Structures are given as C-alpha cells and as structure tokens.
Amino acid sequence: MASQGPVNPSHATFDLFVQAQTCKDVKHHFTQLCRQLEIDPEDFGSFYAKLKERLNYWKAKALWTKLDKRASHEDYQQGKVCTKNKCLVLGAGPCGLRVAIELSLLGAQVVLLEKRETFSRNNVLHLWPYTIYDLRELGAKKFYGKFCSGSLDHISIRQLQLILLKVALLLGVEVHTGVEFQGLIEPSGENGWMAKLQPRSHPAAAFQFDVFISAGGGRFVPDGFKHKELRGKLAIGITANFINRHTAAETQVEEISGVARIYNQKFFQELLNETGIDLENIVYYKDDTHYFVMTAKKKSLLKKGVIKQDHNDAEQLLAPANVDYEALCNYACDAADFSTGGRLPDLQFAQNHAGQRDVAMFDFTCMHRAENASLVKERRGKKLLIGLVGDCLVEPFWPLGTGIARGFFAAFDAAWMVRSWGNGVPHLKVLAERESLYQLLSQTTPENTSKKYAAYSIDPRTRYQRVNLSSIQTHQVQHLYDVEKTHPSFKKQKESSLHMRQDSAGGSEELLKWCQKHTAGYKNVNVKDFTRSWRSGLALCALIHHFRPDLIDMSSLDESNCVHNNQLAFSILEKELGIPPVMSPNSLANTDHIDKLTMVLYLTQIQSGFALPKK
Ligand code: FAD
C-alpha cells in the first residue's frame, strides 16, 4: 500500500516539528530539520531565507506566505534596521517569545534564555480580539488547528508558548532552555556586556549583547529597576486543571466564559447550599485540559478546612503550611462538578510542572508594576539598552484578561525602542519615547485601542489611539541613563550640563518672571531671586499647586517647616515630572548652601515639565 505521508525526510521532519507538543520535541525536530537541510541555525542573518529556499514543501509554503507578509512590513526596513544589534531576551513565556520574534524580524541577532526545560502551564488564557488576529497572522492555526476556532477566544499558556517557540525558531531566534539568567556582567577588556548564567559553562555565557530584554514574569526585576506594589482588598483565586480525554461526553459540556455572583445569585446560592462552597465568580474553559478558575470567599475556605488558620496578612494566610492540599483539591473538584452540572464524567486532575495535581490558590489582588520600562547602562564606553516586557513590566489583573494583550503591546513597544536604537537615535531620546509609551499601556482596553488589527505593527501609532512620543522629554529620563562617573562620556554630559547652566543663567530673567507669575498671590511666597526666596519650600510647593492643585494641600504647610516642605516638593516633582532633586532638602533650607546656577537649572526643568500637555 502506498504511504500517505511525505517521502522527503525533511518534509516528514517539518510535519513532526509543526505537530510537536512539547518544548523538547519542538527543539529536537528543529535540530533534525536543520541537519537534514544543512543549515546552521546560528546563521541568524540568512537562516529563514535558506530554510525557505531548501524546504520546498507545500505545507511549509503556506506558512512562509504568512511570515513573509509580516516580514515585509516597512517597519522592519527589509530586516536591515537592527543587523548590528545583538539582543538577549530573558524568559520563554508568551511575551519573551513574542518580543524575540519582532527583534529577529528587525534583523537583530536574538538569543533567548529560559530556565525551565518544559512548557507545562495548563492554565487557559482569555485573549483579546487583536491578539487572536496577531497570532493567526503568525500561522498559529498551522501549528495548532484548534486555535481559537469558532467563537473560542482562549488558549492554554503552554500551547501559546509552543506556537510562538516554533515561529521564533523558524525566524532564526536562538532558544536555550534549562539555563538560568543570574545577572549582567559589565564589559571588561575586549568584552562587551555578557550574562552570568547557570550552568556557568553554557555556550550562551559567551554571547555579547547591546540590548537586554527581560520578560522573566511577575516578580523578576533586573538590577536598576524599581517595582511598585499595588494591593487591593484580598481576593483569593483558585485554578484547577482536569484531564481532557476529548470524549463525546466531554465535548458536549458547555464552557462558562465567566459567571459572576452579581449576575447569577441563584447559581451561587445553590452551590453554597449544596456544597458549602462560596464563590464570587467562576470560569471554565476547555483546551488541552478542563480549566477552572474561581474566586473563593475566605470564610468558606476556612469552614471547609482548605485554609487552616485565619490571618490578616495574605501571605501568611495562603502560605503552603496553612493550606490543606487535599481539602483544596476537593474544594476545586466539587466546584467544577457543580458548575458543569455533574456532566464531566471523570474529574481527574491533570499534572502540573512538579508532577502534582494541578491546583493552585493565590491572592490576585497584590500586583507589581515597574516604575519605568527602560534603562541604558554604560560601562567602559559600551552602552546596553535594557527593556522590560510582560508581567515583569506590569502584572495583569487576570479577570480582565489583560496579561497577554498588554504583554504583547509592551513587546511591540520594546521592539519599536530597539528599532530606534538600531537606527542610531540618541539614547535619551530612545528612553524618553519608550517611557512616553509606557504611560499609555495601563490604560489600554479593547475599546480604546485601534480596531484596525490588520494595520497593527510595532509602530505604536498603529495601535494606541492617541500617541505622543514626546510626552516625556529627554531631561526627564536622565536618571534612566546609568553611566560610570569616571568615563569620558559622563564628563561630556557634565560639561554639556554646565553649558546648559550658563545658558540657563543667561536667560534667567525670563525664568524669574515665569516663577513670579505662577507663584503670585500665595501666602508667605515672594519670589525675588534664585536663592533666599526658595528657602522655605513654599515657593516650590506653590509652583506645583499652581499647575497641579490636586497634588498638594497648601493650607497644610507651615512656613517654618522648611525641610519638610522642600522634601514634599522634591518628591512630587520627581514622581510626577521625573525631575530628580538637585540638592538635599536641608541644603535648600539653608541659604548658604543654595547654588544659584543649580537652582536655575532645576527650575528650568520644572518650567518645561509643566509646559508639557496635560496627560
Ligand atoms: P511568564 O509567562 O511568567 O514567563 C516568564 C518566563 O521567564 C517563565 O517561563 C520563567 O521560567 C522564565 N524565567 C524567569 N526567571 C528566569 C531566569 N532568571 N532565567 C531564565 N528564565 C527565567 N492573561 C491573559 O491574557 N488572559 C487571561 O485570561 C489570564 N488569566 C490568568 C489567570 C491566572 C490564574 C493567572 C495567574 C494569570 C492569568 N493571566 C491571563 C496572565 C498571564 O498568564 C500572564 O500575563 C502571562 O503568562 C505573562 O507572560 P510573560 O511572558 O510576561 O511571563
């Protein structure tokens, strides 16, 4: 009998690569394919072109058509814009892989590191329409036929990672799994920026790069970045994954795309009466597993013995030692059974990465957010551009499904930043643009972003509705440029700031008039100069109050409390306008220590900061 499969071995391997369902298999078939076609996967510059040329297979061609369409976008300047850039990407989560794809389309050499060996996260993610469109255009359906078919708008994390990993490899991204990033190594001798890795002798440890993108997930903060914690009222989430055997009976059970207590009181009351389980909401999606995510009330978790002891502190409350794992499994299982009307015949837990029953409980109201999205470090004259994307930039509020949507937006924005870097835009401008965009990210919703998904690209103007790439200006991001103090470029920076001081001093009359105009009428404020008049801090506070009355309560300030007033003004100006203080609150309070030129420089920055259009 004639064989149904392809006769050419590389075609068969390509099929295996496309269908592979584990990270290990994807990598194995990819290596095999490269060997068969005699292409060096490290030859990133011409890898994709050679692959297309040598793999003359109709199934592959359908994929090339999609990838070619993307690659031909004008933003990538025919894959030439970043050919001189070497990028290290940390993390093969969805966002790390997505940014790696964009960087390779820009022509950069991209090395991606992932500490895990397997993709094992079963949890299913709700996707915004644009992400579905974006993934389809990358060939998602070719790799995973079920991808968002019909009205489905979700996918498991591991499937999403598999799709993106395959695309990344085909485009020449070098992916290393089982290798942990432990920090940056500063340039020394002939060497540029490198990474400290575990295992230490890993070949990627020799990679020198000028761009580092961190997509290490929730709590991973690279050196130099600060995270803010946002904590809301305690809300306890539970996720549970059960094996999907894809039987006819399982197929018929309807998904629950989100039912909240306020919309279905009866359902939740019956659940409570029959099982003692008290929930705020529940979602059920089908993918590789039957996935349930619910928000449970603390009281019912205590009553059912899931949480052993009550604590006010969320960390203590949900610490593993305070959770009865068996009781948690029963709780999740009963909730899943009740909400699907007992129609899922055999609720057997799927396994998580640790080989245990895949159930988890967490407080999802504590979220982290980075204060800034980018940084430039310079040592021994070698600059390194650093950017954050995904959960390590902004942790999402999962019930809104913002994780992947904002994560991909940040990945595109980071790629846009690297594009400017590759185009030789001055580093402060690159940083200012990136931070201007970062301000928009947290406000994005499916409603206020462009609906023209086909036009989406790394160019922010195709996605955000109102973009002002200079809403943050270069002087406001100077603190994001970390250069060693002894290096000539630091001296140059100092000199140019001295020139600016002299220029500023020259034009100081105008500045004085501006200060007088905007502080007129405030009690105990009389601006006559750049020294004594600012001592009490009231004039600075008055300036702030004039432009942003919401930020300061003038009636609460005491003229004699100079240090406090100065400190208050300094912190507001730093937080709101990104202007770092130029002296201590004590020095300003002490007339002998006020340097006129320093004050002129500081006020000049404040003047241009307030001159910006209001956000
Ligand atoms: P991650 O997926 O966390 O990936 C980070 C990767 O970096 C990991 O693979 C990690 O191993 C690796 N890594 C970390 N440190 C190192 C290191 N030092 N060296 C090497 N590798 C490292 N989002 C949605 O869009 N829709 C939803 O419906 C949704 N539901 C959710 C439900 C729950 C219960 C939870 C918890 C989250 C949900 N999310 C949802 C959020 C979504 O899962 C995340 O936003 C998304 O996974 C973030 O992707 P990422 O690539 O930024 O980070």
Side-chain angles (χ1 to χ4, degrees):
M1 208 167 70
S3 151
Q4 297 292 307
V7 277
N8 185 321
S10 63
H11 294 187
T13 309
F14 180 76
D15 282 345
L16 289 171
F17 168 77
V18 166
Q19 291 151 15
Q21 283 301 300
T22 64
C23 173
K24 194 171 152 214
D25 280 354
V26 172
K27 288 181 65 190
H28 168 74
H29 296 307
F30 178 73
T31 310
Q32 182 82 355
L33 186 66
C34 294
R35 228 176 264 144
Q36 287 166 339
L37 297 172
E38 294 177 9
I39 319 175
D40 177 4
E42 288 182 17
D43 180 11
F44 70 95
S46 55
F47 179 79
Y48 175 60
K50 284 188 185 157
L51 187 66
K52 275 197 313 182
E53 187 189 294
R54 298 187 194 177
L55 189 63
N56 193 9
Y57 179 32
W58 66 271
K59 278 197 188 165
K61 279 186 182 158
L63 188 61
W64 306 154
T65 309
K66 292 232 164 232
L67 297 181
D68 284 347
K69 188 175 162 216
R70 178 93 198 175
S72 65
H73 196 283
E74 59 181 1
D75 288 351
Y76 308 119
Q77 294 169 221
Q78 291 150 359
K80 301 248 181 318
V81 59
C82 289
T83 44
K84 292 206 177 72
N85 299 105
K86 294 178 187 299
C87 310
L88 184 75
V89 178
L90 161 64
C95 301
L97 286 162
R98 191 66 193 86
V99 75
I101 290 171
E102 290 306 316
L103 298 176
S104 71
L105 288 169
L106 284 164
Q109 181 179 4
V110 188
V111 172
L112 186 147
L113 306 175
E114 168 57 55
K115 67 178 174 189
R116 300 184 206 191
E117 291 278 14
T118 53
F119 290 168
S120 55
R121 285 180 290 168
N122 294 314
N123 288 357
V124 179
L125 308 177
H126 164 78
L127 300 175
W128 287 10
Y130 102 77
T131 14
I132 297 177
Y133 189 94
D134 176 65
L135 289 161
R136 275 214 176 105
E137 292 305 288
L138 288 178
K141 260 194 133 24
K142 309 248 175 272
F143 300 114
Y144 186 51
K146 282 192 286 179
F147 177 74
C148 292
S149 40
S151 60
L152 293 192
D153 57 2
H154 48 262
I155 186 168
S156 66
I157 300 184
R158 58 176 294 277
Q159 280 297 350
L160 182 55
Q161 285 175 288
L162 286 171
I163 293 170
L164 293 168
L165 172 66
K166 291 172 192 173
V167 178
L169 288 171
L170 293 176
L171 292 175
V173 175
E174 200 180 308
V175 179
H176 298 281
T177 53
V179 48
E180 185 179 7
F181 171 90
Q182 296 192 320
L184 292 167
I185 301 175
E186 295 188 357
S188 68
E190 289 298 294
N191 290 336
W193 288 91
M194 296 202 281
K196 184 176 168 206
L197 305 180
Q198 187 55 256
R200 278 171 180 262
S201 56
H202 193 281
F207 182 57
Q208 299 180 33
F209 45 93
D210 66 324
V211 175
F212 172 53
I213 303 288
S214 173
R219 306 286 146 97
F220 187 88
V221 195
D223 236 20
F225 287 87
K226 281 193 207 141
H227 256 195
K228 283 189 261 194
E229 186 185 283
L230 310 166
R231 195 177 273 278
K233 198 170 144 259
L234 175 78
I236 304 172
I238 297 177
T239 53
N241 282 285
F242 301 95
I243 295 173
N244 186 353
R245 296 190 169 80
H246 304 281
T247 60
E250 284 168 287
T251 317
Q252 274 164 24
V253 184
E254 272 182 36
E255 296 188 325
I256 308 170
S257 64
V259 38
R261 193 178 192 93
I262 43 164
Y263 301 116
N264 201 336
Q265 304 267 1
K266 190 165 161 270
F267 167 83
F268 288 100
Q269 195 54 53
E270 282 171 8
L271 173 69
L272 178 61
N273 295 344
E274 279 189 36
T275 63
I277 292 172
D278 205 358
L279 301 182
E280 290 290 353
N281 58 36
I282 187 159
V283 171
Y284 159 49
Y285 287 145
K286 243 179 282 184
D287 196 75
D288 290 341
T289 58
H290 296 288
Y291 165 74
F292 291 83
V293 57
M294 58 202 93
T295 310
K297 291 201 182 174
K298 178 168 98 170
K299 212 165 135 198
S300 85
L301 290 167
L302 282 164
K303 221 167 163 186
K304 300 279 285 180
V306 177
I307 296 179
K308 295 178 191 166
Q309 278 199 345
D310 196 3
H311 292 283
N312 284 332
D313 176 65
E315 251 174 67
Q316 267 183 299
L317 186 77
L318 302 180
N322 200 35
V323 174
D324 183 327
Y325 183 64
E326 261 331 294
L328 173 61
C329 289
N330 292 336
Y331 191 98
C333 203
D334 290 348
D337 190 42
F338 184 89
S339 59
T340 49
R343 276 172 293 128
L344 280 176
D346 172 25
L347 279 174
Q348 201 184 330
F349 277 100
Q351 289 196 342
N352 65 14
H353 64 280
Q356 288 168 341
R357 283 171 286 179
D358 194 349
V359 61
M361 185 162 65
F362 55 95
D363 165 26
F364 66 83
T365 47
C366 169
M367 288 176 292
H368 287 81
R369 158 169 315 185
E371 283 185 7
N372 47 286
S374 54
L375 202 67
V376 169
K377 281 180 190 264
E378 183 174 337
R379 299 288 183 274
R380 299 176 74 91
K382 295 196 165 84
K383 288 195 181 71
L384 176 70
L385 174 66
I386 311 179
L388 304 183
V389 302
D391 280 13
C392 81
L393 179 65
V394 181
E395 259 191 304
F397 185 57
W398 68 262
L400 296 179
T402 53
I404 299 304
R406 290 189 185 151
F408 279 18
F409 257 45
F412 299 152
D413 295 343
W416 185 252
M417 165 180 85
V418 177
R419 181 183 184 271
S420 303
W421 187 250
N423 268 330
V425 175
H427 58 277
L428 285 179
K429 187 146 196 291
V430 172
L431 291 171
E433 279 194 6
R434 179 68 195 96
E435 298 307 318
S436 299
L437 285 177
Y438 181 39
Q439 292 195 312
L440 302 175
L441 187 69
S442 300
Q443 298 144 29
T444 50
T445 63
E447 288 73 41
N448 70 11
T449 40
S450 165
K451 303 288 172 301
K452 293 181 191 151
Y453 305 139
Y456 272 33
S457 77
I458 57 172
D459 185 338
R461 287 162 291 212
T462 62
R463 294 172 279 118
Y464 298 102
Q465 268 174 355
R466 268 180 295 276
V467 189
N468 176 2
L469 284 174
S470 47
S471 68
I472 301 256
Q473 294 188 347
T474 51
H475 68 266
Q476 293 172 280
V477 292
Q478 246 149 10
H479 62 295
L480 302 181
Y481 173 43
D482 167 14
V483 59
E484 66 201 325
K485 310 259 179 301
T486 49
H487 196 267
S489 58
F490 178 75
K491 287 191 194 136
K492 232 162 91 189
Q493 198 197 3
K494 281 217 102 170
E495 276 162 22
S496 73
S497 111
L498 193 70
H499 286 142
M500 199 169 139
R501 286 157 63 122
Q502 283 158 356
D503 290 351
S504 304
S508 60
E509 256 173 49
E510 284 293 304
L511 181 67
L512 190 62
K513 275 192 201 143
W514 180 84
C515 294
Q516 286 165 335
K517 180 174 164 200
H518 298 302
T519 53
Y522 282 93
K523 197 171 153 203
N524 297 328
V525 175
N526 183 10
V527 175
K528 291 185 290 195
D529 51 35
F530 290 109
T531 51
R532 292 190 72 87
S533 313
W534 301 91
R535 229 195 110 244
S536 74
L538 285 186
L540 272 181
C541 290
L543 258 185
I544 298 171
H545 185 265
H546 174 83
F547 290 98
R548 292 285 306 273
D550 54 311
L551 295 178
I552 218 158
D553 175 11
M554 289 301 286
S555 65
S556 69
L557 302 180
D558 177 355
E559 190 189 9
S560 61
N561 209 348
C562 309
V563 176
H564 166 266
N565 302 340
N566 290 330
Q567 180 61 63
L568 179 69
F570 287 172
S571 355
I572 293 178
L573 289 166
E574 185 165 24
K575 187 161 164 265
E576 297 295 323
L577 298 185
I579 304 172
V582 287
M583 60 184 92
S584 75
N586 266 319
S587 318
L588 184 55
N590 182 341
T591 34
D592 296 339
H593 285 110
I594 303 180
D595 167 25
K596 182 181 167 193
L597 285 176
T598 304
M599 205 57 203
V600 168
L601 186 63
Y602 191 47
L603 287 165
T604 308
Q605 293 187 59
I606 296 170
Q607 184 185 34
S608 40
F610 282 129
L612 294 174
K614 280 197 182 112
K615 285 168 235 149

